[in-house]
């Protein structure tokens, strides 16, 4: 991959949800083990560290009020997909998370978003959609239905490329791929079907390919804003390669939240072309 030119930091607007009620009370992905338990206070400290990092980097952070009984609501990325100020809502695959969809959509409407869509098809927001300059990459295989890709494309007015996930550890697209810029990506090939790997190679021949070791600590559940990249502290090889590309890497400890299958990106929903922040 060619070394990118330095880009000026651009302030982003993120929506987050404090893990006030974080717990593992059920298992809906291979990471979750209700018998193992969690340290909620540690999870809150790690979440606060991520939020405070965004603020130090000059970004804006809005917060949605957590709801008792929805322990996974901390994973705000799953709550919607926001492109050009349009909000494509979430419809969760599991009964345990179903109430999160209306809760997030209600937040957006109260925040002044006028173009919102309650989806007909199962989709889990930015968990399975990655927005680039000219295209939206979208995954199916474990959570989001392929029909939701078409629904999002019609509503957002952006072309959507469907990819197939095949490794249950990487049940959302944002666990296996992230945008390095509007035209560059990093991904773990083993998470995708052979056909999808061919699509990615054709679209992004210079993509950064991550190792299984870095993917297995959710290193690809990363957040990129300009040259700044927030990445799991354990993904050391990935961090080194990003630094070689001239990026500024910000390692974060997210191991407590990772017990539920989430990392920095899972906790972060990007609001693109938004109304005034609330």
């Amino acid at each position: 991959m060619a070394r990118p030119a330095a880009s000026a930091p651009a302030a982003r607007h993120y929506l987050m949800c404090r893990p006030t009620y974080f717990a593992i009370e059920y298992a809906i992905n291979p990471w979750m083990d209700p018998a193992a338990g969690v340290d909620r206070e540690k999870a809150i400290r790690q979440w606060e560290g991520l939020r405070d990092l965004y603020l130090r980097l000059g970004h804006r952070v809005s917060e949605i009020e957590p709801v008792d009984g929805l322990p996974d609501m901390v994973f705000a990325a799953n709550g919607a997909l926001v492109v050009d100020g349009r909000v494509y809502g979430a419809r969760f695959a599991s009964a345990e998370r179903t109430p999160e969809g209306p809760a997030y959509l209600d937040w957006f409407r109260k925040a002044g978003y006028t173009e919102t869509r309650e989806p007909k098809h199962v989709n889990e927001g930015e968990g399975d959609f990655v927005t680039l300059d000219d295209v939206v990459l979208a995954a199916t295989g474990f959570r989001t239905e392929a029909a939701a890709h078409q629904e999002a494309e019609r509503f957002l007015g952006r072309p959507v490329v469907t990819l197939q996930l095949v490794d249950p550890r990487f049940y959302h697209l944002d666990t296996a791929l992230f945008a390095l810029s509007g035209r560059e990506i990093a991904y773990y090939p083993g998470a995708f079907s052979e056909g999808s790997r061919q699509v990615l190679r054709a679209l992004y021949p210079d993509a950064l390919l991550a190792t299984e070791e870095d993917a297995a600590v959710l290193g690809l559940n990363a957040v990129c804003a300009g040259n700044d990249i927030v990445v799991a502290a354990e993904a050391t090889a990935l961090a080194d390669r990003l630094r070689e590309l001239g990026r500024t890497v910000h390692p974060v400890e997210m191991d407590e939240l990772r017990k539920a299958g989430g990392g920095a990106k899972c906790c972060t929903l990007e609001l693109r072309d938004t109304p005034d922040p609330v």
Side-chain angles (χ1 to χ4, degrees):
M1 177 183 292
R3 183 186 180 96
S7 59
R12 307 294 175 92
H13 185 190
Y14 298 130
L15 178 63
M16 301 182 69
C17 182
R18 178 181 292 272
T20 304
Y21 304 110
F22 179 63
I24 300 179
E25 300 171 347
Y26 45 78
I28 56 173
N29 66 54
W31 301 83
M32 303 177 83
D33 179 6
V38 297
D39 183 338
R40 185 179 294 165
E41 293 305 314
K42 181 180 179 182
I44 291 172
R45 290 194 301 272
Q46 292 182 343
W47 179 91
E48 289 177 340
L50 178 64
R51 179 204 57 193
D52 293 348
L53 172 60
Y54 290 147
L55 295 174
R56 289 197 303 273
L57 293 174
H59 305 306
R60 296 178 291 174
V61 177
S62 294
E63 295 185 32
I64 182 174
E65 190 70 21
V67 176
D68 193 2
L70 298 180
D72 281 339
M73 197 170 169
V74 60
F75 301 125
N78 304 151
L81 171 65
V82 185
V83 178
D84 299 327
R86 296 176 178 175
V87 181
Y88 179 55
R91 187 182 183 96
F92 285 84
S94 63
E96 293 89 347
R97 298 195 67 182
T98 295
E100 293 181 41
Y104 274 95
L105 204 53
D106 182 61
W107 183 92
F108 280 105
R109 288 168 174 162
K110 289 179 178 177
Y113 290 79
T114 57
E115 293 186 84
T116 63
R117 173 67 59 89
E118 186 172 350
K120 293 181 180 179
H121 301 287
V122 170
N123 83 88
E124 299 197 350
E126 274 200 326
D128 272 328
F129 291 94
V130 173
T131 302
L132 292 106
D133 284 350
D134 300 320
V135 69
V136 178
L137 301 179
T140 189
F142 297 104
R143 300 290 182 86
T144 296
E145 297 173 349
H149 301 174
Q150 301 164 17
E151 185 178 33
E153 183 176 77
R154 290 192 297 269
F155 175 62
L156 299 172
R158 293 276 192 107
V160 174
V161 174
T162 294
L163 303 169
Q164 183 83 25
L165 295 170
V166 296
D167 186 328
R169 293 175 299 171
F170 310 110
Y171 58 94
H172 277 150
L173 183 59
D174 70 357
T175 66
L177 180 152
F178 72 95
L180 282 166
S181 71
R183 297 182 181 275
E184 301 171 290
I185 65 169
Y187 68 99
Y188 169 55
F192 298 92
S193 69
E194 176 54 35
S196 293
R197 290 197 293 270
Q198 291 181 21
V199 170
L200 289 170
R201 284 195 293 267
L203 290 175
Y204 305 100
D206 297 323
L208 190 160
L209 303 183
T211 65
E212 181 175 5
E213 290 75 16
D214 282 340
V217 293
L218 293 183
L220 290 157
N221 197 244
V223 178
C224 182
N227 274 351
D228 292 310
I229 301 182
V230 178
V231 65
E234 298 88 347
T236 54
L238 177 61
D240 288 343
R241 294 181 67 190
L242 291 168
R243 292 186 184 101
E244 290 171 2
L245 293 173
R247 305 303 179 97
T248 300
V249 176
H250 303 273
V252 290
E253 300 285 350
M254 301 295 289
D255 58 290
E256 202 63 27
L257 289 156
R258 190 165 61 236
K259 292 178 180 179
K265 179 67 190 82
C266 286
C267 293
T268 310
L269 174 56
E270 184 170 350
L271 311 184
R272 299 175 182 86
D273 295 340
T274 65
D276 291 337
V278 296

